[in-house]
Amino acid sequence: MDDARTEEIGRNLARVRERIAAACRAAGREPDEVTLVAITKTYPAEDVARLGALGVHDVGENRDQEAAPKAAAVGAKDLRWHFVGQLQRNKCRSVVRYASVVHSVDSLRLVDALVAAAGQAERTEPLGALVQVSLDDDEHRGGAVTGMVEQVAEAIAASPALRLRGVMAVAPLDWEPGEAFARLAAIAARIRQRFPGADWISAGMSNDLETAILHGSTHVRVGSALLGNRTPLG
Ligand SMILES: *Cc1c(COP(=O)(O)O)cnc(C)c1O
C-alpha cells in the first residue's frame, strides 16, 4: 500500500523506533531487546496491513469483538496478534484462534478457561501468556494483586497448552511511571527466578515507553503514537 496514510504511519513509526533506540542507548541496552507491539484498537484492518507492510509484525488489540474480525480480515501471515485487554472467560475460545500471546492473564479462573480453549483449538504451538500485575492492588482495573501473581504464573507454567512468557502491567494513572515500572521489574525478577524462560516484561505505552525501557521492558505496547489519537470512547 502506497498511499498518504501509509506515509503518515511510516513517519510515526520512524519516530517511535527512534525513541526506542534512544531509550535503549540511555539504558545501556540494545534496541533489538525491545519488541514494538503496535496497538491497533479503533483503527481499521487496513492500518494493520499498512503496519505489516512497514515491517511491524507484532500487533495488539484489547477487545475480542474488535480483534476477531480484524484478524480474520488481515490474516495471520507474518503477523503475531497480542491480546492486551481485560479478557472475559467466554471470549477465550475466540481469542485462542488468532492470538499468539495474551498479555492480560490475571486470575486462576481465566487460566482454566484459556487452557480449555487452547486445548480444543487447533494450535500449532502453545498460547503465550503473561501475568498481568496490578501495581496498585486495585482489582477493578485488571491485573493480579500481590500474592496472586505467583499463583497465576504457576498455573500457566503447569499447563502444556500455555507458555509462561513473563509479566505485564499498565502504570496506574496517578503514579510516577518510574515507580510503577521499577516495581514491575522487581516482580519480573522474582518470577524469572522460578521460571527462567519467563523473561518478557510488557510495559510502556505511547507516553511512558522511555521510562519502561529504562526499567527493563522487553515489549512496548504503542497505539496513539503510531496511528493517531483515538476518539475518547476508543
Ligand atoms: C490502548 C492500550 C495501549 C496503547 O496505548 P497508547 O497510549 O495509545 O500507546 C497499551 N496497552 C493497553 C493494555 C492498551 O489498552
Side-chain angles (χ1 to χ4, degrees):
M1 259 174 281
D2 184 17
D3 57 7
R5 176 64 172 154
T6 304
E7 283 173 23
E8 179 188 8
I9 296 173
R11 280 193 300 274
N12 292 344
L13 177 62
R15 266 195 297 269
V16 168
R17 289 223 187 276
E18 183 43 49
R19 285 176 60 191
I20 292 171
C24 285
R25 277 196 299 276
R29 303 177 61 197
E30 296 297 327
D32 66 4
E33 292 174 36
V34 178
T35 299
L36 171 63
V37 182
I39 305 299
T40 52
K41 64 189 181 200
T42 78
Y43 287 97
E46 287 77 14
D47 280 354
V48 180
R50 288 182 174 99
L51 283 162
L54 290 163
V56 176
H57 302 297
D58 290 273
V59 295
E61 288 278 336
N62 71 335
R63 290 170 62 240
D64 176 62
Q65 298 92 303
E66 187 184 342
K70 237 185 259 187
V74 187
K77 193 160 57 70
D78 293 339
L79 281 181
R80 272 181 301 271
W81 290 87
H82 297 244
F83 192 88
V84 302
Q86 272 192 40
L87 178 54
Q88 290 162 307
R89 282 174 293 151
N90 63 359
K91 302 292 189 208
C92 289
R93 268 171 185 276
S94 173
V95 167
V96 300
R97 289 197 200 108
Y98 57 85
S100 296
V101 49
V102 174
H103 289 226
S104 43
V105 183
D106 61 358
S107 73
L108 297 174
R109 282 166 18 132
L110 182 55
V111 173
D112 287 345
L114 283 170
V115 168
Q120 281 170 28
E122 288 166 26
R123 297 185 56 89
T124 52
E125 45 184 57
L127 176 71
L130 286 85
V131 183
Q132 183 178 350
V133 178
S134 166
L135 293 171
D136 58 2
D137 282 350
D138 177 351
E139 298 178 45
H140 302 292
R141 292 192 307 129
V145 297
T146 317
M148 280 307 294
V149 174
E150 257 99 354
Q151 287 186 54
V152 175
E154 264 166 35
I156 294 169
S159 167
L162 305 181
R163 175 168 175 199
L164 179 65
R165 286 298 206 165
V167 295
M168 175 273 215
V170 178
L173 280 178
D174 50 345
W175 280 35
E176 200 67 60
E179 194 185 337
F181 296 135
R183 183 161 179 171
L184 180 64
I187 294 167
R190 223 166 59 214
I191 295 294
R192 243 180 0 250
Q193 269 186 348
R194 292 270 294 278
F195 308 102
D199 58 0
W200 290 19
I201 301 178
S202 168
M205 317 200 302
S206 292
N207 291 331
D208 56 17
L209 68 88
E210 284 86 356
T211 311
I213 288 171
L214 192 61
H215 291 281
S217 170
T218 63
H219 289 71
V220 292
R221 308 179 310 269
V222 179
S224 50
L226 287 172
L227 296 172
N229 287 321
R230 294 176 298 272
T231 53
L233 274 181

